[in-house]
Amino acid sequence: MTTKTTKTIYWIGTALTSLWFGTSGICELTTNKLVWDITLKLGYPPHFIYILGVAKVIGIAVLLIPGKLLRLKEWVFAGVYFDIIFAFASKVSVLGLASAVDAIIAFIMVTVTYTMFRKVYPATYVKPVNYAMN
């Protein structure tokens, strides 16, 4: 796969992830009836829904900044995965497996995006200097 293809897939995935989770975050912040009622039905308290909405909007802003805040982007991807996993588990437990199809689709989409992120911005690990030895 060429670098151009990898970057294209990464940015398409980032755009789709941003649309998906950005829309969700805005709906949580504006108490959109559809999102709000389902989240309450899953057993989450209202204050948590607002916090989740703020976290999603801030996280999406971080993802959309090209080439910067790479470590923070790792945290955003981790948060998105936690959101997907909790949404999946909550929906399966309360509403049934059929209601969790969106979480499965989101998981696949974010996994492809994160894989391309790692190819575009490979992690480099440096052996730490042991200052006690000097």
Side-chain angles (χ1 to χ4, degrees):
M1 181 178 311
T2 67
T3 303
K4 184 178 179 179
T5 303
T6 303
K7 285 183 179 182
T8 302
I9 294 169
Y10 166 68
W11 280 110
I12 289 171
T14 299
L16 292 173
T17 300
S18 297
L19 282 171
W20 189 308
F21 288 91
T23 301
S24 173
I26 296 295
C27 287
E28 289 160 351
L29 291 174
T30 60
T31 65
N32 175 280
K33 193 144 181 69
L34 179 66
V35 173
W36 193 262
D37 289 350
I38 290 171
T39 310
L40 287 175
K41 190 184 289 187
L42 295 175
Y44 293 101
H47 70 276
F48 178 78
I49 301 170
Y50 284 117
I51 294 168
L52 190 59
V54 169
K56 286 179 181 179
V57 170
I58 292 171
I60 295 313
V62 169
L63 284 183
L64 291 174
I65 299 171
K68 305 267 188 222
L69 306 171
L70 300 180
R71 176 115 5 151
L72 193 53
K73 286 182 189 200
E74 288 280 348
W75 284 83
V76 171
F77 277 113
V80 168
Y81 275 114
F82 281 120
D83 180 71
I84 293 168
I85 291 166
F86 287 125
F88 177 81
S90 298
K91 287 180 175 183
V92 169
S93 297
V94 176
L95 304 173
L97 184 60
S99 69
V101 171
D102 62 334
I104 295 167
I105 294 167
F107 185 84
I108 293 166
M109 177 185 68
V110 173
T111 299
V112 169
T113 304
Y114 179 73
T115 302
M116 295 301 113
F117 170 72
R118 281 285 114 222
K119 288 184 179 197
V120 172
Y121 303 106
T124 56
Y125 299 100
V126 179
K127 184 177 179 181
V129 176
N130 186 350
Y131 291 105
M133 300 283 295
N134 294 335

